[in-house]
Amino acid sequence: MLEKFGRELERCAADPAMFDQVSHVVHRLAGSSRVFGFGELTAPAQEVEALIAEQADPERIAEGTRQLAEDIRRSISP
């Protein structure tokens, strides 16, 4: 979902409802990542959540979502 959102933002075709969906996902990631042993994902998830909440430039949000997706990949890779 994060990668899809980032791609849609790059094309300037992001559905406003998608902001709510992604905000919900990153909020849950920020809150539960430590519980499941991935505390390094808390801060990046909170940063994306803050960018969405402050209605930052879509390019900044897209970059944040791409970076968060990459952070997740790195954290779960052996």
Side-chain angles (χ1 to χ4, degrees):
M1 176 181 269
L2 293 173
E3 291 173 333
K4 177 183 176 187
F5 182 67
R7 285 191 305 272
E8 288 190 22
L9 276 173
E10 288 172 343
R11 293 190 312 255
C12 298
D15 178 352
M18 188 170 281
F19 283 97
D20 290 334
Q21 292 173 354
V22 173
S23 181
H24 178 74
V25 168
V26 297
H27 178 78
R28 291 184 68 189
L29 276 168
S32 63
S33 58
R34 283 191 188 147
V35 173
F36 294 103
F38 296 98
E40 69 276 6
L41 298 174
T42 301
Q46 288 173 333
E47 290 171 17
V48 174
E49 186 178 20
L51 289 171
I52 294 169
E54 66 189 38
Q55 298 178 350
D57 180 68
E59 288 182 25
R60 286 182 61 207
I61 298 171
E63 176 58 33
T65 59
R66 283 191 303 270
Q67 184 60 53
L68 180 56
E70 181 59 32
D71 292 345
I72 291 168
R73 267 191 227 92
R74 252 193 326 268
S75 292
I76 62 174
S77 294

